[in-house]
């Protein structure tokens, strides 16, 4: 009897570990499929009872170079074009420009192109089971934050190819804040015609970063962030509309980006205000004469704690 009980206890303890390993394996299959398959797909980003439609092409040319096109289908033209590690952005407010990078900055999180194991310290991976999405058998994987400072992500993967079919951002209580729903998926042996055309299209020259460039040292710091977030970049620039100078820091945990902006204010204190756009919060407040804005797919309480922790450095406070 003791041996039977011990057997079932061992099986029970090993199931969660097996489920987590299976979930991570499924997610890493997703990143591999995104980088290696020729596909054409459409999806809509659903938030605040509105839907933004996109068309996404990906392919591999004969030289093994990745080609991508991501287009917003409503409103002014917004395209992102990729040839290898050169990514070009076409936006209505700016002249076309290119940067050197290996993933697109769009609705699909950048980590979907990479190794999901980088998120293991901040999220638990749970393989929930199978369902049906877009007429295809799908595997549902949930990424659950290990702390209350982040949202969870529910990811539906095509059982056959591993490609993404649906993505939802949800609170810890299960309330859906934002969804990406794919509306069609075509996988082919050869890249789509639009990608073949892209190969011969001349893109803007990539912006060059000077070899001795160093990120500026700003006169303030963020003294609290959820565990796992690291600073990615910092700069000074002027807001396009108001021309007001602002200092900026970008933080990421590998999945979620948090932007913090600081600028001078002509008031000492002001009530906190924030708006929600799906899962994205934009919180603004004044800390002792300087204005702080926090933007990211995080709970408003997390944004408030980050904003409260922003303070001038000792040298700037003098």
């Amino acid at each position: 009897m003791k041996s039977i009980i011990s057997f079932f206890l061992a099986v029970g303890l090993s199931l969660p570990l097996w489920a987590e390993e299976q979930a991570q394996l499924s997610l890493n299959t997703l990143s591999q499929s995104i980088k290696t398959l020729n596909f054409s797909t459409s999806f809509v980003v659903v938030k605040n009872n509105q839907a933004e439609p996109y068309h996404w092409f990906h392919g591999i040319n004969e030289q093994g170079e990745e080609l991508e096109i991501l287009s917003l289908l409503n409103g002014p033209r917004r395209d992102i074009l990729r040839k290898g590690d050169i990514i070009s952005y076409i936006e209505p407010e700016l002249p076309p420009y290119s940067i050197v990078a290996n993933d697109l900055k769009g609705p699909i999180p950048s980590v979907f192109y990479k190794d999901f194991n980088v998120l293991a310290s901040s999220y638990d991976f749970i393989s929930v089971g199978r369902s049906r999405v877009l007429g295809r058998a799908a595997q549902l994987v949930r990424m659950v934050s290990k702390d209350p400072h982040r949202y969870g992500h529910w990811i539906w993967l095509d059982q056959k190819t591993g490609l993404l079919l649906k993505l939802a951002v949800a609170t810890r209580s299960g309330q859906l804040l934002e969804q990406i729903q794919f509306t069609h998926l075509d996988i082919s042996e050869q890249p789509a015609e639009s990608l073949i055309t892209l190969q011969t299209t001349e893109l803007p020259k990539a912006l060059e970063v000077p070899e001795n460039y160093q990120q500026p040292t700003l006169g303030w710091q963020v003294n609290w962030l959820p565990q796992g977030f690291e600073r990615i970049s910092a700069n000074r620039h002027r807001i396009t509309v108001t021309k007001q100078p602002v200092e900026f820091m970008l933080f990421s945990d590998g999945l979620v980006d948090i932007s913090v902006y600081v600028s001078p204010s002509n008031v000492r204190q002001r009530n906190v205000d924030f708006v929600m756009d799906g899962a994205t919060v934009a919180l603004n407040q004044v800390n002792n004469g300087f204005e702080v804005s926090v933007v990211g797919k995080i709970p408003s309480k997390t944004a408030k704690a980050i904003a409260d922790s922003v303070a001038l450095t000792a040298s700037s406070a003098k």
Side-chain angles (χ1 to χ4, degrees), residues 10-236:
V11 171
L13 290 173
S14 65
L15 280 176
L17 179 59
W18 175 87
E20 183 166 354
E21 291 175 347
Q22 183 64 32
Q24 285 184 282
L25 179 62
S26 297
L27 292 173
N28 285 326
T29 299
L30 162 64
S31 61
Q32 185 66 17
S33 297
I34 286 179
K35 292 185 292 186
T36 59
L37 293 179
N38 298 309
F39 60 82
S40 167
T41 185
S42 296
F43 63 85
V44 292
V45 178
V46 182
K47 54 184 178 181
N48 302 336
N49 296 319
Q50 295 182 336
E52 293 180 339
Y54 289 83
H55 205 160
W56 182 19
F57 296 93
H58 179 276
I60 307 292
N61 65 15
E62 293 180 354
Q63 292 73 41
E65 182 180 57
E66 286 186 71
L67 305 168
E68 267 184 293
I69 300 175
L70 178 64
S71 301
L72 177 62
L73 301 182
N74 283 358
R77 182 183 178 188
R78 295 180 184 271
D79 294 333
I80 307 177
L81 313 175
R82 177 187 176 203
K83 292 200 295 186
D85 62 355
I86 303 298
I87 300 180
S88 301
Y89 292 84
I90 301 173
E91 302 176 351
E93 304 90 353
L94 300 169
Y97 65 96
S98 299
I99 62 172
V100 177
N102 54 17
D103 54 60
L104 305 184
K105 298 300 182 184
I108 308 300
S110 297
V111 73
F112 283 25
Y113 294 77
K114 302 173 184 177
D115 187 345
F116 277 82
N117 294 330
V118 300
L119 303 176
S121 63
S122 302
Y123 297 87
D124 290 319
F125 304 92
I126 303 173
S127 184
V128 177
R130 297 182 181 181
S131 60
R132 189 167 176 266
V133 179
L134 200 59
R136 308 170 77 100
Q139 174 70 36
L140 172 57
V141 174
R142 290 185 181 177
M143 294 175 54
V144 181
S145 173
K146 293 184 176 182
D147 58 51
H149 307 304
R150 280 168 272 231
Y151 293 130
H153 288 69
W154 302 358
I155 305 169
W156 286 262
L157 305 172
D158 182 27
Q159 193 75 33
K160 184 176 180 181
T161 66
L163 285 173
L164 183 65
L165 296 177
K166 186 177 179 180
L167 170 66
V169 182
T171 65
R172 295 177 74 84
S173 63
Q175 177 189 359
L176 298 183
L177 301 174
E178 187 172 315
Q179 296 185 65
I180 296 177
Q181 172 68 63
F182 284 70
T183 55
H184 99 272
L185 174 62
D186 292 328
I187 302 170
S188 58
E189 291 293 328
Q190 301 298 326
E193 285 295 326
S194 57
L195 294 177
I196 295 174
T197 302
L198 175 62
Q199 290 187 94
T200 58
T201 301
E202 186 175 352
L203 300 179
K205 186 178 179 181
L207 300 174
E208 295 184 3
V209 179
E211 292 185 5
N212 59 351
Y213 173 79
Q214 294 183 348
Q215 293 186 15
T217 300
L218 304 182
W220 52 276
Q221 59 191 11
V222 177
N223 292 314
W224 181 85
L225 287 162
Q227 184 177 355
F229 278 91
E230 297 180 355
R231 196 177 93 164
I232 304 301
S233 63
N235 64 51
R236 296 185 180 95

Side-chain angles (χ1 to χ4, degrees), residues 218 220 235 237-239 242-248 260-267 270 284-293 310 312:
L218 304 182
W220 52 276
N235 64 51
H237 60 272
R238 291 185 179 273
I239 299 173
T242 64
K243 305 301 181 184
Q244 180 182 4
V246 66
E247 295 186 340
F248 162 80
V260 180
Y261 302 86
V262 172
S263 59
S265 174
N266 55 10
V267 297
R270 190 179 65 223
N284 183 273
Q285 69 181 43
V286 173
N287 290 7
N288 298 319
F290 58 97
E291 190 166 350
V292 179
S293 298
V310 174
L312 297 177

